[in-house]
Amino acid sequence: MQNRKVLLTGVTGFLGSHTTIQLLKKGYSVKGTLRDLNRRERIENIIKKHNAKLENLSFEVIDLSDSLDKWKEAMVGVDFVVHIASPFPTTLPKDENELILPAKNGTLNILKAARYAGVRRVVMTSSSGAAVYGDRKNGIFSEKSWTNVANKSDTTPYFRSKTIAEQAAWDYVNAEQNTIELATILPGAILGPVLDKNDYGTSANLVKKMMDGSMPALPKIGFEMVDVRSVADAHLKALEHPSAKGNRYLCTNGYLQLKDISKILRKEFPKYKIPSSTLPDFAVRLFSLLDKETRPILNDLGAKRLIDSSKIRNELGWKPISLTSSVIDTAESLIQLKIVQ
């Protein structure tokens, strides 16, 4: 697989940068897509710190809303595609199509351009949110589960966008009778070392809020979680493993409530005033009227959506980093980057 070229969408993002580092370390050449060339120097400096080969990294300025022809130009000389980029808001948008249309149309243009260019395999980042919402709030979910996008009371626009984009991808590949190989990775809430103080995930933001005092009490919610380095590794395994073709893989390493994260942080970082008390559900709902960032988590109040991740472990030999290590490494990176003082 060495010296093969991978087009990776969303190179500057939390997962995109970690995946790029692992691909470069394994000998791949990476063409990373970004929307703004001004971010090139920052991402190069981040990747340089992790001993990845910058000479094997190039960039393409392109957006999910760009034309099919532009994506065809970007695919020239590419062997594989890792499609990570997806519109992700910190607050709920007024019009859900701001997320859904670029996610769906961008994915289809990438697949069509990849097929046109003779790309061997596309690995696409979906989300566990494309499998566990809109049906039931409790129980165990597998890759056979799909989020019911018609149930808007138990789905967010983001999870609807991820579900619709992944379904469109499978519909396209199946209609083309597998002339292009597709595998999808569905991570849970992603923790792990933050590399860029300006771009990190919502789960790392939860850890930040616990450490900087902006979350004085804990909502009684939890999520299936996973380390960003393990998600990056899952993408590489799906890229390389012959049997990954035609499969979706839920990619999580266990369920943590916010109180579980708080317990780990209080033990490891005693000088910080980490909250330990919980907030009644009605108080969380009231608070969400003031704090727009809280609204997307309301669907998880009173829910316990568990995931069976045995498929990716058994078929791809995936061995994730422990969630305790993930929480600690997230916090240490936030301190190191002075996101938390």
Side-chain angles (χ1 to χ4, degrees), residues 154-330:
D154 189 41
T155 57
T156 63
Y158 175 68
F159 290 145
R160 291 196 289 277
S161 77
K162 296 300 284 186
T163 308
I164 290 166
E166 191 193 350
Q167 286 174 331
W170 286 117
D171 288 346
Y172 173 78
V173 169
N174 291 333
E176 294 298 317
Q177 298 180 320
N178 296 318
T179 52
I180 184 168
E181 296 181 357
L182 176 66
T184 57
I185 302 294
L186 288 71
I190 302 177
L191 291 167
V194 173
L195 303 180
D196 183 351
K197 66 191 308 179
N198 297 304
D199 198 336
Y200 52 94
T202 51
S203 305
N205 194 42
L206 286 173
V207 175
K208 170 190 172 290
K209 284 175 176 271
M210 287 186 201
M211 298 183 77
D212 68 10
S214 58
M215 188 190 289
L218 304 164
K220 289 186 280 187
I221 59 168
F223 308 96
E224 283 276 348
M225 296 194 169
V226 63
D227 191 285
V228 65
R229 294 161 294 188
S230 300
V231 183
D233 176 55
H235 282 73
L236 265 72
K237 283 180 164 50
L239 200 69
E240 296 177 345
H241 205 292
S243 68
K245 169 189 170 185
N247 282 290
R248 66 197 304 241
Y249 292 101
L250 280 160
C251 180
T252 65
N253 192 29
Y255 182 88
L256 285 185
Q257 290 190 319
L258 296 193
K259 67 178 182 180
D260 300 320
I261 296 174
S262 164
K263 188 176 179 181
I264 296 166
L265 292 172
R266 280 183 285 123
K267 180 182 177 184
E268 294 294 326
F269 303 93
K271 78 171 192 174
Y272 290 90
K273 293 181 179 178
I274 314 293
S276 58
S277 58
T278 54
L279 206 57
D281 290 357
F282 79 87
V284 178
R285 294 184 192 282
L286 281 175
F287 182 66
S288 73
L289 298 175
L290 300 172
D291 182 13
K292 292 180 180 179
E293 287 187 16
T294 304
R295 291 177 199 172
I297 69 169
L298 294 180
N299 289 336
D300 291 286
L301 289 173
K304 191 170 185 180
R305 309 175 207 260
L306 302 176
I307 285 171
D308 176 3
S309 63
S310 59
K311 181 178 176 182
I312 191 169
R313 297 167 193 262
N314 295 337
E315 292 186 8
L316 303 187
W318 182 68
K319 295 176 182 176
I321 292 165
S322 80
L323 291 181
T324 299
S325 296
S326 296
V327 172
I328 294 167
D329 291 350
T330 303

